[in-house]
mmCIF file of all heavy atoms in Angstrom:
data_model
loop_
_atom_site.group_PDB
_atom_site.id
_atom_site.type_symbol
_atom_site.label_atom_id
_atom_site.label_comp_id
_atom_site.label_asym_id
_atom_site.label_seq_id
_atom_site.Cartn_x
_atom_site.Cartn_y
_atom_site.Cartn_z
ATOM 1 N N LYS A 257 128.224 51.188 121.391
ATOM 2 C CA LYS A 257 129.031 51.434 122.584
ATOM 3 C C LYS A 257 128.720 52.790 123.201
ATOM 4 O O LYS A 257 128.736 52.931 124.428
ATOM 5 C CB LYS A 257 130.515 51.336 122.220
ATOM 6 C CG LYS A 257 130.945 49.921 121.839
ATOM 7 C CD LYS A 257 132.429 49.841 121.520
ATOM 8 C CE LYS A 257 132.838 48.413 121.197
ATOM 9 N NZ LYS A 257 134.280 48.295 120.870
ATOM 10 N N ASN A 258 128.432 53.785 122.356
ATOM 11 C CA ASN A 258 128.103 55.102 122.894
ATOM 12 C C ASN A 258 126.770 55.090 123.639
ATOM 13 O O ASN A 258 126.559 55.909 124.541
ATOM 14 C CB ASN A 258 128.063 56.133 121.762
ATOM 15 C CG ASN A 258 129.453 56.520 121.296
ATOM 16 O OD1 ASN A 258 130.413 56.446 122.054
ATOM 17 N ND2 ASN A 258 129.562 56.925 120.049
ATOM 18 N N ARG A 259 125.853 54.217 123.241
ATOM 19 C CA ARG A 259 124.566 54.154 123.942
ATOM 20 C C ARG A 259 124.727 53.662 125.372
ATOM 21 O O ARG A 259 123.838 53.840 126.212
ATOM 22 C CB ARG A 259 123.599 53.232 123.179
ATOM 23 C CG ARG A 259 122.971 53.883 121.965
ATOM 24 C CD ARG A 259 121.737 53.120 121.523
ATOM 25 N NE ARG A 259 122.070 51.807 120.999
ATOM 26 C CZ ARG A 259 122.298 51.542 119.713
ATOM 27 N NH1 ARG A 259 122.252 52.529 118.817
ATOM 28 N NH2 ARG A 259 122.584 50.319 119.315
ATOM 29 N N ASN A 260 125.857 53.035 125.660
ATOM 30 C CA ASN A 260 126.117 52.563 127.019
ATOM 31 C C ASN A 260 126.728 53.642 127.908
ATOM 32 O O ASN A 260 127.183 53.347 129.020
ATOM 33 C CB ASN A 260 127.053 51.347 126.975
ATOM 34 C CG ASN A 260 126.416 50.168 126.260
ATOM 35 O OD1 ASN A 260 125.203 49.976 126.312
ATOM 36 N ND2 ASN A 260 127.242 49.377 125.566
ATOM 37 N N SER A 261 126.752 54.891 127.423
ATOM 38 C CA SER A 261 127.245 56.039 128.192
ATOM 39 C C SER A 261 128.670 55.814 128.684
ATOM 40 O O SER A 261 128.976 55.959 129.873
ATOM 41 C CB SER A 261 126.320 56.322 129.387
ATOM 42 O OG SER A 261 125.013 56.598 128.948
ATOM 43 N N VAL A 262 129.538 55.449 127.765
ATOM 44 C CA VAL A 262 130.940 55.270 128.126
ATOM 45 C C VAL A 262 131.570 56.632 128.377
ATOM 46 O O VAL A 262 131.131 57.651 127.844
ATOM 47 C CB VAL A 262 131.694 54.517 127.011
ATOM 48 C CG1 VAL A 262 131.107 53.137 126.808
ATOM 49 C CG2 VAL A 262 131.652 55.306 125.707
ATOM 50 N N PRO A 263 132.625 56.703 129.217
ATOM 51 C CA PRO A 263 133.282 57.984 129.490
ATOM 52 C C PRO A 263 133.876 58.593 128.211
ATOM 53 O O PRO A 263 134.157 57.894 127.230
ATOM 54 C CB PRO A 263 134.378 57.607 130.494
ATOM 55 C CG PRO A 263 133.938 56.305 131.075
ATOM 56 C CD PRO A 263 133.189 55.598 130.006
ATOM 57 N N VAL A 264 134.090 59.901 128.261
ATOM 58 C CA VAL A 264 134.632 60.601 127.106
ATOM 59 C C VAL A 264 136.018 60.078 126.742
ATOM 60 O O VAL A 264 136.356 59.901 125.567
ATOM 61 C CB VAL A 264 134.696 62.119 127.383
ATOM 62 C CG1 VAL A 264 135.356 62.847 126.214
ATOM 63 C CG2 VAL A 264 133.295 62.668 127.622
ATOM 64 N N SER A 265 136.848 59.819 127.761
ATOM 65 C CA SER A 265 138.196 59.327 127.497
ATOM 66 C C SER A 265 138.154 57.995 126.751
ATOM 67 O O SER A 265 138.941 57.750 125.833
ATOM 68 C CB SER A 265 138.971 59.173 128.806
ATOM 69 O OG SER A 265 138.291 58.276 129.674
ATOM 70 N N GLN A 266 137.211 57.118 127.139
ATOM 71 C CA GLN A 266 137.093 55.836 126.454
ATOM 72 C C GLN A 266 136.547 56.022 125.039
ATOM 73 O O GLN A 266 136.936 55.300 124.109
ATOM 74 C CB GLN A 266 136.189 54.896 127.244
ATOM 75 C CG GLN A 266 136.122 53.477 126.661
ATOM 76 C CD GLN A 266 135.295 52.540 127.527
ATOM 77 O OE1 GLN A 266 134.927 52.890 128.647
ATOM 78 N NE2 GLN A 266 134.991 51.364 127.010
ATOM 79 N N THR A 267 135.669 57.001 124.876
ATOM 80 C CA THR A 267 135.138 57.287 123.538
ATOM 81 C C THR A 267 136.245 57.722 122.596
ATOM 82 O O THR A 267 136.294 57.293 121.430
ATOM 83 C CB THR A 267 134.062 58.381 123.626
ATOM 84 O OG1 THR A 267 133.000 57.953 124.471
ATOM 85 C CG2 THR A 267 133.507 58.695 122.235
ATOM 86 N N VAL A 268 137.137 58.571 123.089
ATOM 87 C CA VAL A 268 138.265 59.013 122.259
ATOM 88 C C VAL A 268 139.121 57.828 121.853
ATOM 89 O O VAL A 268 139.555 57.714 120.692
ATOM 90 C CB VAL A 268 139.096 60.065 123.016
ATOM 91 C CG1 VAL A 268 140.358 60.415 122.225
ATOM 92 C CG2 VAL A 268 138.274 61.321 123.265
ATOM 93 N N ARG A 269 139.365 56.914 122.794
ATOM 94 C CA ARG A 269 140.172 55.728 122.466
ATOM 95 C C ARG A 269 139.466 54.851 121.436
ATOM 96 O O ARG A 269 140.106 54.268 120.548
ATOM 97 C CB ARG A 269 140.458 54.932 123.738
ATOM 98 C CG ARG A 269 141.472 55.595 124.658
ATOM 99 C CD ARG A 269 141.998 54.601 125.684
ATOM 100 N NE ARG A 269 140.950 54.138 126.584
ATOM 101 C CZ ARG A 269 140.624 54.723 127.727
ATOM 102 N NH1 ARG A 269 141.264 55.820 128.120
ATOM 103 N NH2 ARG A 269 139.666 54.228 128.497
ATOM 104 N N LEU A 270 138.122 54.767 121.544
ATOM 105 C CA LEU A 270 137.376 53.974 120.565
ATOM 106 C C LEU A 270 137.490 54.580 119.167
ATOM 107 O O LEU A 270 137.666 53.853 118.183
ATOM 108 C CB LEU A 270 135.898 53.901 120.982
ATOM 109 C CG LEU A 270 135.571 53.033 122.205
ATOM 110 C CD1 LEU A 270 134.103 53.189 122.579
ATOM 111 C CD2 LEU A 270 135.894 51.571 121.927
ATOM 112 N N TYR A 271 137.400 55.901 119.102
ATOM 113 C CA TYR A 271 137.497 56.560 117.791
ATOM 114 C C TYR A 271 138.894 56.420 117.211
ATOM 115 O O TYR A 271 139.066 56.228 116.007
ATOM 116 C CB TYR A 271 137.110 58.024 117.912
ATOM 117 C CG TYR A 271 135.629 58.257 118.107
ATOM 118 C CD1 TYR A 271 135.148 59.412 118.707
ATOM 119 C CD2 TYR A 271 134.710 57.309 117.680
ATOM 120 C CE1 TYR A 271 133.783 59.625 118.880
ATOM 121 C CE2 TYR A 271 133.349 57.506 117.858
ATOM 122 C CZ TYR A 271 132.892 58.663 118.449
ATOM 123 O OH TYR A 271 131.545 58.861 118.613
ATOM 124 N N MET A 272 139.910 56.554 118.042
ATOM 125 C CA MET A 272 141.281 56.383 117.554
ATOM 126 C C MET A 272 141.498 54.951 117.064
ATOM 127 O O MET A 272 142.151 54.719 116.041
ATOM 128 C CB MET A 272 142.276 56.718 118.661
ATOM 129 C CG MET A 272 142.271 58.189 119.072
ATOM 130 S SD MET A 272 142.632 59.296 117.684
ATOM 131 C CE MET A 272 144.304 58.773 117.279
#
Side-chain angles (χ1 to χ4, degrees):
K257 293 182 178 180
N258 284 333
R259 282 198 292 268
N260 296 327
S261 301
V262 298
V264 176
S265 59
Q266 186 176 350
T267 300
V268 174
R269 287 196 296 270
L270 288 174
Y271 287 156
M272 294 302 297

